[in-house]
Amino acid sequence: MNKYTAIIPVAGKGVRLLPFTQHCPKTMLDVAGQPIISHILRQVEQCGIRRVVFVVGYQKEVLIAYVRSHYPHLETVFVEQKEPKGLGHAVYMAKPVVTGPCFIILGDTIIDGDLLPLVKGEKNAVGVKTVADPRRFGVVELKGTEIVGFEEKPAQPKSNLALIGAYSFLECSQLFSCLEEVIASGKTVKNEIQLTDALSCLLQRGTSIVPVKMNDWFDCGTVEIMLQTNQILLRRHAHVPEKFRANNQISAPCYIDESAVVENCVLGPYVSVSEGAVLKNCRLEDAIVSRETHLEGKTASHLILDKYSL
Ligand code: G1P
């Protein structure tokens, strides 16, 4: 167990994922058999973090009910961001309930690797990855191995090292003080108060922040990326309980939740079936079947299937 509090901003709607986000926040979308938030919490727990602050907003009840029922062993706190004013503002909402070291991980960021290098507790750190087109991310400028600048979604990036959405701070009061400064200055990028600008403020105040390279990062922003992520995670975390093998034809890798009902189906490769789903006489390949989705006689490939968009 460690002293970090995790802050997970999950207020966003995820407009690029409509209609799937019509009834839940983006972080509640399923991939590889579980909502994105579950993949994140698995990682957070593996780091020994037991206290999690969720910054909720859009469709908050769905997230709160899920977390309360599935993670009763964690100390969870929910704070609300009432208006979508940007990531910096969302994180600032956690100020009244967080002291000491904090680890921020964005609600649409799946990192399927070891997060411990980020939260070892010796330095302020940000997760980074080299990307082909950094213009849609926060970008890190390095001098040698040292971070000398941050910029949010620059038109002319100074490097191709992107912020992946995981940040750790030894003392969150410094971060909140910088967020306050950014908010008071009125500075926005793309009309939003940015966390990246608070990182620049920390640097200007002489606080050092080290980059930690992360390779297994999936930014689940579009249906196409969700399906790709589903494939990659299934290659690593496939699981089909024995009871489903008797009267179905299953080609690995697949994930079928224990609570699902699956009868007379041909599934796979790359099919994930979440909690409470019911599938009868279906042929599916490369598909995400979301929680509580009922399908009968469905043939589909390369698709997300959920109970609302059938
Ligand atoms: C946010 C951050 C950005 C970071 C990105 C990672 O942007 O502002 O710095 O690189 O997450 O996914 P958003 O994706 O919310 O536009």
Side-chain angles (χ1 to χ4, degrees), residues 42-82:
R42 180 178 65 232
Q43 298 288 79
V44 164
E45 286 195 68
Q46 274 170 14
C47 294
I49 299 175
R50 294 287 174 270
R51 183 166 190 268
V52 184
V53 175
F54 297 86
V55 184
V56 298
Y58 174 72
Q59 297 278 350
K60 61 179 190 293
E61 297 77 14
V62 182
L63 181 276
I64 294 172
Y66 182 82
V67 169
R68 289 216 167 115
S69 64
H70 289 69
Y71 296 90
H73 53 286
L74 293 180
E75 183 189 342
T76 52
V77 183
F78 302 92
V79 293
E80 188 168 1
Q81 183 192 28
K82 292 212 166 73

mmCIF file of all heavy atoms in Angstrom, residues 42-82:
data_model
loop_
_atom_site.group_PDB
_atom_site.id
_atom_site.type_symbol
_atom_site.label_atom_id
_atom_site.label_comp_id
_atom_site.label_asym_id
_atom_site.label_seq_id
_atom_site.Cartn_x
_atom_site.Cartn_y
_atom_site.Cartn_z
ATOM 1 N N ARG A 42 -7.531 -1.590 -12.317
ATOM 2 C CA ARG A 42 -6.649 -2.755 -12.132
ATOM 3 C C ARG A 42 -5.199 -2.271 -11.997
ATOM 4 O O ARG A 42 -4.460 -2.686 -11.101
ATOM 5 C CB ARG A 42 -6.798 -3.698 -13.333
ATOM 6 C CG ARG A 42 -5.930 -4.943 -13.236
ATOM 7 C CD ARG A 42 -6.125 -5.886 -14.407
ATOM 8 N NE ARG A 42 -5.708 -5.320 -15.675
ATOM 9 C CZ ARG A 42 -6.447 -5.281 -16.772
ATOM 10 N NH1 ARG A 42 -7.672 -5.766 -16.775
ATOM 11 N NH2 ARG A 42 -5.990 -4.750 -17.895
ATOM 12 N N GLN A 43 -4.837 -1.331 -12.865
ATOM 13 C CA GLN A 43 -3.468 -0.797 -12.844
ATOM 14 C C GLN A 43 -3.198 0.009 -11.579
ATOM 15 O O GLN A 43 -2.137 -0.092 -10.985
ATOM 16 C CB GLN A 43 -3.246 0.109 -14.061
ATOM 17 C CG GLN A 43 -3.385 -0.585 -15.375
ATOM 18 C CD GLN A 43 -2.226 -1.502 -15.607
ATOM 19 O OE1 GLN A 43 -2.192 -2.598 -15.065
ATOM 20 N NE2 GLN A 43 -1.266 -1.077 -16.377
ATOM 21 N N VAL A 44 -4.187 0.823 -11.206
ATOM 22 C CA VAL A 44 -4.051 1.665 -10.011
ATOM 23 C C VAL A 44 -3.857 0.774 -8.777
ATOM 24 O O VAL A 44 -2.988 1.003 -7.941
ATOM 25 C CB VAL A 44 -5.301 2.572 -9.877
ATOM 26 C CG1 VAL A 44 -5.420 3.169 -8.493
ATOM 27 C CG2 VAL A 44 -5.260 3.681 -10.934
ATOM 28 N N GLU A 45 -4.657 -0.286 -8.705
ATOM 29 C CA GLU A 45 -4.546 -1.207 -7.557
ATOM 30 C C GLU A 45 -3.206 -1.927 -7.554
ATOM 31 O O GLU A 45 -2.621 -2.158 -6.499
ATOM 32 C CB GLU A 45 -5.677 -2.230 -7.597
ATOM 33 C CG GLU A 45 -7.011 -1.642 -7.196
ATOM 34 C CD GLU A 45 -8.027 -2.730 -6.882
ATOM 35 O OE1 GLU A 45 -7.847 -3.429 -5.875
ATOM 36 O OE2 GLU A 45 -8.977 -2.895 -7.664
ATOM 37 N N GLN A 46 -2.723 -2.273 -8.763
ATOM 38 C CA GLN A 46 -1.427 -2.962 -8.826
ATOM 39 C C GLN A 46 -0.292 -2.097 -8.291
ATOM 40 O O GLN A 46 0.728 -2.596 -7.857
ATOM 41 C CB GLN A 46 -1.117 -3.386 -10.267
ATOM 42 C CG GLN A 46 -1.725 -4.735 -10.600
ATOM 43 C CD GLN A 46 -1.654 -5.066 -12.082
ATOM 44 O OE1 GLN A 46 -0.923 -4.419 -12.832
ATOM 45 N NE2 GLN A 46 -2.416 -6.060 -12.499
ATOM 46 N N CYS A 47 -0.486 -0.783 -8.317
ATOM 47 C CA CYS A 47 0.538 0.127 -7.747
ATOM 48 C C CYS A 47 0.382 0.250 -6.242
ATOM 49 O O CYS A 47 1.131 1.001 -5.619
ATOM 50 C CB CYS A 47 0.379 1.533 -8.303
ATOM 51 S SG CYS A 47 0.697 1.689 -10.003
ATOM 52 N N GLY A 48 -0.597 -0.382 -5.673
ATOM 53 C CA GLY A 48 -0.797 -0.299 -4.228
ATOM 54 C C GLY A 48 -1.615 0.908 -3.801
ATOM 55 O O GLY A 48 -1.678 1.241 -2.624
ATOM 56 N N ILE A 49 -2.249 1.580 -4.759
ATOM 57 C CA ILE A 49 -3.070 2.754 -4.403
ATOM 58 C C ILE A 49 -4.476 2.269 -4.022
ATOM 59 O O ILE A 49 -5.075 1.472 -4.731
ATOM 60 C CB ILE A 49 -3.144 3.746 -5.588
ATOM 61 C CG1 ILE A 49 -1.736 4.238 -5.940
ATOM 62 C CG2 ILE A 49 -4.076 4.915 -5.267
ATOM 63 C CD1 ILE A 49 -1.655 5.132 -7.164
ATOM 64 N N ARG A 50 -4.973 2.765 -2.870
ATOM 65 C CA ARG A 50 -6.272 2.300 -2.376
ATOM 66 C C ARG A 50 -7.304 3.415 -2.251
ATOM 67 O O ARG A 50 -8.430 3.189 -1.863
ATOM 68 C CB ARG A 50 -6.098 1.646 -0.984
ATOM 69 C CG ARG A 50 -5.289 0.358 -1.011
ATOM 70 C CD ARG A 50 -6.093 -0.787 -1.618
ATOM 71 N NE ARG A 50 -5.302 -1.986 -1.793
ATOM 72 C CZ ARG A 50 -4.595 -2.271 -2.902
ATOM 73 N NH1 ARG A 50 -4.591 -1.450 -3.928
ATOM 74 N NH2 ARG A 50 -3.905 -3.391 -2.980
ATOM 75 N N ARG A 51 -6.868 4.655 -2.495
ATOM 76 C CA ARG A 51 -7.809 5.776 -2.372
ATOM 77 C C ARG A 51 -7.948 6.429 -3.749
ATOM 78 O O ARG A 51 -6.946 6.830 -4.357
ATOM 79 C CB ARG A 51 -7.293 6.780 -1.345
ATOM 80 C CG ARG A 51 -8.245 7.918 -1.117
ATOM 81 C CD ARG A 51 -7.889 8.717 0.143
ATOM 82 N NE ARG A 51 -8.971 9.632 0.441
ATOM 83 C CZ ARG A 51 -9.017 10.890 -0.009
ATOM 84 N NH1 ARG A 51 -8.026 11.376 -0.719
ATOM 85 N NH2 ARG A 51 -10.059 11.655 0.273
ATOM 86 N N VAL A 52 -9.175 6.518 -4.232
ATOM 87 C CA VAL A 52 -9.390 7.023 -5.587
ATOM 88 C C VAL A 52 -10.455 8.113 -5.590
ATOM 89 O O VAL A 52 -11.561 7.911 -5.074
ATOM 90 C CB VAL A 52 -9.837 5.881 -6.546
ATOM 91 C CG1 VAL A 52 -9.953 6.399 -7.973
ATOM 92 C CG2 VAL A 52 -8.876 4.693 -6.488
ATOM 93 N N VAL A 53 -10.099 9.255 -6.151
ATOM 94 C CA VAL A 53 -11.056 10.359 -6.307
ATOM 95 C C VAL A 53 -11.473 10.412 -7.774
ATOM 96 O O VAL A 53 -10.620 10.518 -8.666
ATOM 97 C CB VAL A 53 -10.411 11.701 -5.890
ATOM 98 C CG1 VAL A 53 -11.367 12.861 -6.163
ATOM 99 C CG2 VAL A 53 -10.022 11.663 -4.415
ATOM 100 N N PHE A 54 -12.761 10.288 -8.016
ATOM 101 C CA PHE A 54 -13.283 10.365 -9.380
ATOM 102 C C PHE A 54 -13.872 11.753 -9.589
ATOM 103 O O PHE A 54 -14.678 12.206 -8.766
ATOM 104 C CB PHE A 54 -14.398 9.333 -9.581
ATOM 105 C CG PHE A 54 -13.942 7.914 -9.427
ATOM 106 C CD1 PHE A 54 -13.902 7.312 -8.168
ATOM 107 C CD2 PHE A 54 -13.550 7.173 -10.531
ATOM 108 C CE1 PHE A 54 -13.484 5.995 -8.026
ATOM 109 C CE2 PHE A 54 -13.133 5.856 -10.390
ATOM 110 C CZ PHE A 54 -13.093 5.266 -9.136
ATOM 111 N N VAL A 55 -13.482 12.406 -10.669
ATOM 112 C CA VAL A 55 -14.119 13.689 -10.988
ATOM 113 C C VAL A 55 -15.198 13.376 -12.019
ATOM 114 O O VAL A 55 -14.903 13.044 -13.172
ATOM 115 C CB VAL A 55 -13.112 14.717 -11.538
ATOM 116 C CG1 VAL A 55 -13.816 16.057 -11.753
ATOM 117 C CG2 VAL A 55 -11.929 14.872 -10.586
ATOM 118 N N VAL A 56 -16.442 13.414 -11.558
ATOM 119 C CA VAL A 56 -17.558 12.944 -12.382
ATOM 120 C C VAL A 56 -18.306 14.123 -12.984
ATOM 121 O O VAL A 56 -18.160 15.266 -12.552
ATOM 122 C CB VAL A 56 -18.515 12.052 -11.555
ATOM 123 C CG1 VAL A 56 -17.807 10.814 -11.055
ATOM 124 C CG2 VAL A 56 -19.119 12.831 -10.385
ATOM 125 N N GLY A 57 -19.133 13.822 -13.978
ATOM 126 C CA GLY A 57 -19.939 14.866 -14.620
ATOM 127 C C GLY A 57 -21.023 14.173 -15.413
ATOM 128 O O GLY A 57 -21.947 13.588 -14.846
ATOM 129 N N TYR A 58 -20.828 14.137 -16.726
ATOM 130 C CA TYR A 58 -21.806 13.529 -17.636
ATOM 131 C C TYR A 58 -22.163 12.086 -17.216
ATOM 132 O O TYR A 58 -21.278 11.267 -17.005
ATOM 133 C CB TYR A 58 -21.189 13.544 -19.054
ATOM 134 C CG TYR A 58 -22.010 12.830 -20.085
ATOM 135 C CD1 TYR A 58 -23.194 13.374 -20.547
ATOM 136 C CD2 TYR A 58 -21.601 11.594 -20.584
ATOM 137 C CE1 TYR A 58 -23.955 12.700 -21.494
ATOM 138 C CE2 TYR A 58 -22.345 10.918 -21.538
ATOM 139 C CZ TYR A 58 -23.523 11.482 -21.981
ATOM 140 O OH TYR A 58 -24.269 10.808 -22.897
ATOM 141 N N GLN A 59 -23.457 11.809 -17.065
ATOM 142 C CA GLN A 59 -23.962 10.463 -16.723
ATOM 143 C C GLN A 59 -23.244 9.880 -15.503
ATOM 144 O O GLN A 59 -22.872 8.698 -15.484
ATOM 145 C CB GLN A 59 -23.795 9.517 -17.924
ATOM 146 C CG GLN A 59 -24.595 9.918 -19.142
ATOM 147 C CD GLN A 59 -26.048 9.476 -19.068
ATOM 148 O OE1 GLN A 59 -26.432 8.707 -18.194
ATOM 149 N NE2 GLN A 59 -26.870 9.985 -19.952
ATOM 150 N N LYS A 60 -23.060 10.716 -14.500
ATOM 151 C CA LYS A 60 -22.248 10.293 -13.350
ATOM 152 C C LYS A 60 -22.832 9.097 -12.594
ATOM 153 O O LYS A 60 -22.093 8.285 -12.048
ATOM 154 C CB LYS A 60 -22.031 11.463 -12.393
ATOM 155 C CG LYS A 60 -23.286 12.054 -11.778
ATOM 156 C CD LYS A 60 -22.915 13.186 -10.843
ATOM 157 C CE LYS A 60 -24.081 13.667 -10.010
ATOM 158 N NZ LYS A 60 -25.151 14.315 -10.765
ATOM 159 N N GLU A 61 -24.168 8.957 -12.601
ATOM 160 C CA GLU A 61 -24.801 7.880 -11.823
ATOM 161 C C GLU A 61 -24.322 6.505 -12.298
ATOM 162 O O GLU A 61 -24.162 5.587 -11.501
ATOM 163 C CB GLU A 61 -26.340 7.933 -11.939
ATOM 164 C CG GLU A 61 -26.981 9.197 -11.380
ATOM 165 C CD GLU A 61 -26.836 10.403 -12.296
ATOM 166 O OE1 GLU A 61 -26.475 10.206 -13.485
ATOM 167 O OE2 GLU A 61 -27.039 11.529 -11.822
ATOM 168 N N VAL A 62 -24.116 6.364 -13.619
ATOM 169 C CA VAL A 62 -23.718 5.059 -14.179
ATOM 170 C C VAL A 62 -22.348 4.655 -13.613
ATOM 171 O O VAL A 62 -22.138 3.529 -13.165
ATOM 172 C CB VAL A 62 -23.659 5.130 -15.732
ATOM 173 C CG1 VAL A 62 -23.300 3.781 -16.327
ATOM 174 C CG2 VAL A 62 -24.967 5.641 -16.301
ATOM 175 N N LEU A 63 -21.443 5.617 -13.616
ATOM 176 C CA LEU A 63 -20.080 5.358 -13.112
ATOM 177 C C LEU A 63 -20.101 5.092 -11.605
ATOM 178 O O LEU A 63 -19.500 4.124 -11.124
ATOM 179 C CB LEU A 63 -19.211 6.571 -13.469
ATOM 180 C CG LEU A 63 -17.736 6.665 -13.141
ATOM 181 C CD1 LEU A 63 -17.438 7.150 -11.747
ATOM 182 C CD2 LEU A 63 -16.968 5.395 -13.448
ATOM 183 N N ILE A 64 -20.822 5.925 -10.869
ATOM 184 C CA ILE A 64 -20.828 5.799 -9.409
ATOM 185 C C ILE A 64 -21.405 4.436 -9.003
ATOM 186 O O ILE A 64 -20.824 3.725 -8.166
ATOM 187 C CB ILE A 64 -21.611 6.971 -8.753
ATOM 188 C CG1 ILE A 64 -20.875 8.297 -9.009
ATOM 189 C CG2 ILE A 64 -21.796 6.743 -7.253
ATOM 190 C CD1 ILE A 64 -21.618 9.556 -8.580
ATOM 191 N N ALA A 65 -22.507 4.042 -9.631
ATOM 192 C CA ALA A 65 -23.127 2.749 -9.275
ATOM 193 C C ALA A 65 -22.156 1.605 -9.574
ATOM 194 O O ALA A 65 -21.996 0.675 -8.768
ATOM 195 C CB ALA A 65 -24.428 2.567 -10.051
ATOM 196 N N TYR A 66 -21.489 1.678 -10.709
ATOM 197 C CA TYR A 66 -20.567 0.601 -11.085
ATOM 198 C C TYR A 66 -19.399 0.510 -10.102
ATOM 199 O O TYR A 66 -19.057 -0.576 -9.625
ATOM 200 C CB TYR A 66 -20.047 0.830 -12.513
ATOM 201 C CG TYR A 66 -19.140 -0.278 -12.977
ATOM 202 C CD1 TYR A 66 -19.672 -1.465 -13.486
ATOM 203 C CD2 TYR A 66 -17.755 -0.169 -12.881
ATOM 204 C CE1 TYR A 66 -18.839 -2.502 -13.888
ATOM 205 C CE2 TYR A 66 -16.922 -1.204 -13.270
ATOM 206 C CZ TYR A 66 -17.474 -2.363 -13.778
ATOM 207 O OH TYR A 66 -16.642 -3.389 -14.167
ATOM 208 N N VAL A 67 -18.807 1.648 -9.794
ATOM 209 C CA VAL A 67 -17.645 1.645 -8.893
ATOM 210 C C VAL A 67 -18.056 1.161 -7.505
ATOM 211 O O VAL A 67 -17.369 0.333 -6.894
ATOM 212 C CB VAL A 67 -16.989 3.051 -8.844
ATOM 213 C CG1 VAL A 67 -15.971 3.135 -7.716
ATOM 214 C CG2 VAL A 67 -16.339 3.379 -10.179
ATOM 215 N N ARG A 68 -19.202 1.641 -7.021
ATOM 216 C CA ARG A 68 -19.628 1.225 -5.672
ATOM 217 C C ARG A 68 -19.869 -0.280 -5.609
ATOM 218 O O ARG A 68 -19.512 -0.927 -4.637
ATOM 219 C CB ARG A 68 -20.906 1.974 -5.276
ATOM 220 C CG ARG A 68 -20.617 3.435 -4.998
ATOM 221 C CD ARG A 68 -21.485 3.971 -3.848
ATOM 222 N NE ARG A 68 -20.973 5.261 -3.414
ATOM 223 C CZ ARG A 68 -21.619 6.412 -3.525
ATOM 224 N NH1 ARG A 68 -22.840 6.441 -4.032
ATOM 225 N NH2 ARG A 68 -21.066 7.533 -3.097
ATOM 226 N N SER A 69 -20.463 -0.851 -6.676
ATOM 227 C CA SER A 69 -20.765 -2.282 -6.591
ATOM 228 C C SER A 69 -19.541 -3.167 -6.868
ATOM 229 O O SER A 69 -19.449 -4.260 -6.340
ATOM 230 C CB SER A 69 -21.916 -2.654 -7.536
ATOM 231 O OG SER A 69 -21.510 -2.417 -8.860
ATOM 232 N N HIS A 70 -18.609 -2.693 -7.694
ATOM 233 C CA HIS A 70 -17.482 -3.550 -8.070
ATOM 234 C C HIS A 70 -16.203 -3.304 -7.269
ATOM 235 O O HIS A 70 -15.307 -4.124 -7.297
ATOM 236 C CB HIS A 70 -17.170 -3.392 -9.560
ATOM 237 C CG HIS A 70 -18.218 -4.005 -10.443
ATOM 238 N ND1 HIS A 70 -19.483 -3.496 -10.569
ATOM 239 C CD2 HIS A 70 -18.182 -5.109 -11.237
ATOM 240 C CE1 HIS A 70 -20.184 -4.239 -11.405
ATOM 241 N NE2 HIS A 70 -19.424 -5.231 -11.828
ATOM 242 N N TYR A 71 -16.104 -2.149 -6.613
ATOM 243 C CA TYR A 71 -14.861 -1.825 -5.886
ATOM 244 C C TYR A 71 -15.125 -1.412 -4.442
ATOM 245 O O TYR A 71 -14.629 -0.379 -3.984
ATOM 246 C CB TYR A 71 -14.081 -0.724 -6.640
ATOM 247 C CG TYR A 71 -13.638 -1.193 -7.996
ATOM 248 C CD1 TYR A 71 -14.453 -1.010 -9.103
ATOM 249 C CD2 TYR A 71 -12.440 -1.880 -8.154
ATOM 250 C CE1 TYR A 71 -14.075 -1.498 -10.356
ATOM 251 C CE2 TYR A 71 -12.055 -2.364 -9.393
ATOM 252 C CZ TYR A 71 -12.874 -2.171 -10.482
ATOM 253 O OH TYR A 71 -12.501 -2.655 -11.706
ATOM 254 N N PRO A 72 -15.895 -2.223 -3.696
ATOM 255 C CA PRO A 72 -16.206 -1.831 -2.316
ATOM 256 C C PRO A 72 -14.953 -1.793 -1.427
ATOM 257 O O PRO A 72 -14.974 -1.149 -0.383
ATOM 258 C CB PRO A 72 -17.179 -2.932 -1.848
ATOM 259 C CG PRO A 72 -16.930 -4.076 -2.755
ATOM 260 C CD PRO A 72 -16.479 -3.516 -4.061
ATOM 261 N N HIS A 73 -13.894 -2.465 -1.853
ATOM 262 C CA HIS A 73 -12.671 -2.523 -1.049
ATOM 263 C C HIS A 73 -11.809 -1.272 -1.183
ATOM 264 O O HIS A 73 -10.840 -1.105 -0.451
ATOM 265 C CB HIS A 73 -11.855 -3.760 -1.448
ATOM 266 C CG HIS A 73 -11.607 -3.823 -2.932
ATOM 267 N ND1 HIS A 73 -12.592 -4.168 -3.828
ATOM 268 C CD2 HIS A 73 -10.502 -3.550 -3.660
ATOM 269 C CE1 HIS A 73 -12.096 -4.118 -5.059
ATOM 270 N NE2 HIS A 73 -10.834 -3.738 -4.985
ATOM 271 N N LEU A 74 -12.130 -0.403 -2.143
ATOM 272 C CA LEU A 74 -11.348 0.832 -2.299
ATOM 273 C C LEU A 74 -12.022 1.973 -1.554
ATOM 274 O O LEU A 74 -13.247 1.973 -1.390
ATOM 275 C CB LEU A 74 -11.257 1.226 -3.781
ATOM 276 C CG LEU A 74 -10.473 0.331 -4.718
ATOM 277 C CD1 LEU A 74 -10.516 0.900 -6.131
ATOM 278 C CD2 LEU A 74 -9.025 0.203 -4.251
ATOM 279 N N GLU A 75 -11.234 2.948 -1.120
ATOM 280 C CA GLU A 75 -11.825 4.163 -0.559
ATOM 281 C C GLU A 75 -12.088 5.100 -1.739
ATOM 282 O O GLU A 75 -11.148 5.575 -2.378
ATOM 283 C CB GLU A 75 -10.851 4.812 0.435
ATOM 284 C CG GLU A 75 -11.474 6.029 1.096
ATOM 285 C CD GLU A 75 -10.469 6.826 1.920
ATOM 286 O OE1 GLU A 75 -9.399 6.297 2.278
ATOM 287 O OE2 GLU A 75 -10.774 7.994 2.182
ATOM 288 N N THR A 76 -13.334 5.294 -2.065
ATOM 289 C CA THR A 76 -13.653 6.091 -3.251
ATOM 290 C C THR A 76 -14.362 7.379 -2.859
ATOM 291 O O THR A 76 -15.170 7.406 -1.932
ATOM 292 C CB THR A 76 -14.535 5.294 -4.238
ATOM 293 O OG1 THR A 76 -15.654 4.766 -3.534
ATOM 294 C CG2 THR A 76 -13.767 4.161 -4.868
ATOM 295 N N VAL A 77 -14.033 8.439 -3.576
ATOM 296 C CA VAL A 77 -14.648 9.747 -3.346
ATOM 297 C C VAL A 77 -15.078 10.267 -4.715
ATOM 298 O O VAL A 77 -14.343 10.099 -5.697
ATOM 299 C CB VAL A 77 -13.619 10.728 -2.722
ATOM 300 C CG1 VAL A 77 -14.272 12.080 -2.419
ATOM 301 C CG2 VAL A 77 -12.982 10.151 -1.465
ATOM 302 N N PHE A 78 -16.265 10.851 -4.780
ATOM 303 C CA PHE A 78 -16.741 11.386 -6.059
ATOM 304 C C PHE A 78 -16.922 12.892 -5.936
ATOM 305 O O PHE A 78 -17.619 13.347 -5.026
ATOM 306 C CB PHE A 78 -18.073 10.722 -6.439
ATOM 307 C CG PHE A 78 -17.955 9.229 -6.546
ATOM 308 C CD1 PHE A 78 -18.216 8.409 -5.443
ATOM 309 C CD2 PHE A 78 -17.542 8.635 -7.733
ATOM 310 C CE1 PHE A 78 -18.072 7.029 -5.528
ATOM 311 C CE2 PHE A 78 -17.400 7.257 -7.821
ATOM 312 C CZ PHE A 78 -17.665 6.454 -6.722
ATOM 313 N N VAL A 79 -16.264 13.650 -6.784
ATOM 314 C CA VAL A 79 -16.487 15.092 -6.795
ATOM 315 C C VAL A 79 -16.999 15.451 -8.183
ATOM 316 O O VAL A 79 -16.691 14.782 -9.165
ATOM 317 C CB VAL A 79 -15.207 15.908 -6.467
ATOM 318 C CG1 VAL A 79 -14.761 15.687 -5.044
ATOM 319 C CG2 VAL A 79 -14.079 15.600 -7.429
ATOM 320 N N GLU A 80 -17.803 16.501 -8.243
ATOM 321 C CA GLU A 80 -18.446 16.799 -9.515
ATOM 322 C C GLU A 80 -17.822 18.010 -10.211
ATOM 323 O O GLU A 80 -17.540 19.024 -9.573
ATOM 324 C CB GLU A 80 -19.943 17.038 -9.288
ATOM 325 C CG GLU A 80 -20.679 17.150 -10.612
ATOM 326 C CD GLU A 80 -22.185 17.106 -10.480
ATOM 327 O OE1 GLU A 80 -22.696 17.007 -9.328
ATOM 328 O OE2 GLU A 80 -22.854 17.191 -11.522
ATOM 329 N N GLN A 81 -17.620 17.868 -11.509
ATOM 330 C CA GLN A 81 -17.282 19.022 -12.341
ATOM 331 C C GLN A 81 -18.589 19.404 -13.039
ATOM 332 O O GLN A 81 -19.074 18.661 -13.905
ATOM 333 C CB GLN A 81 -16.204 18.656 -13.374
ATOM 334 C CG GLN A 81 -15.770 19.848 -14.205
ATOM 335 C CD GLN A 81 -14.925 19.469 -15.417
ATOM 336 O OE1 GLN A 81 -15.044 18.378 -15.962
ATOM 337 N NE2 GLN A 81 -14.088 20.383 -15.860
ATOM 338 N N LYS A 82 -19.158 20.532 -12.651
ATOM 339 C CA LYS A 82 -20.512 20.850 -13.131
ATOM 340 C C LYS A 82 -20.534 21.353 -14.570
ATOM 341 O O LYS A 82 -21.522 21.201 -15.270
ATOM 342 C CB LYS A 82 -21.155 21.867 -12.194
ATOM 343 C CG LYS A 82 -21.441 21.269 -10.808
ATOM 344 C CD LYS A 82 -22.677 21.893 -10.178
ATOM 345 C CE LYS A 82 -23.187 21.107 -8.985
ATOM 346 N NZ LYS A 82 -22.348 21.219 -7.784
#
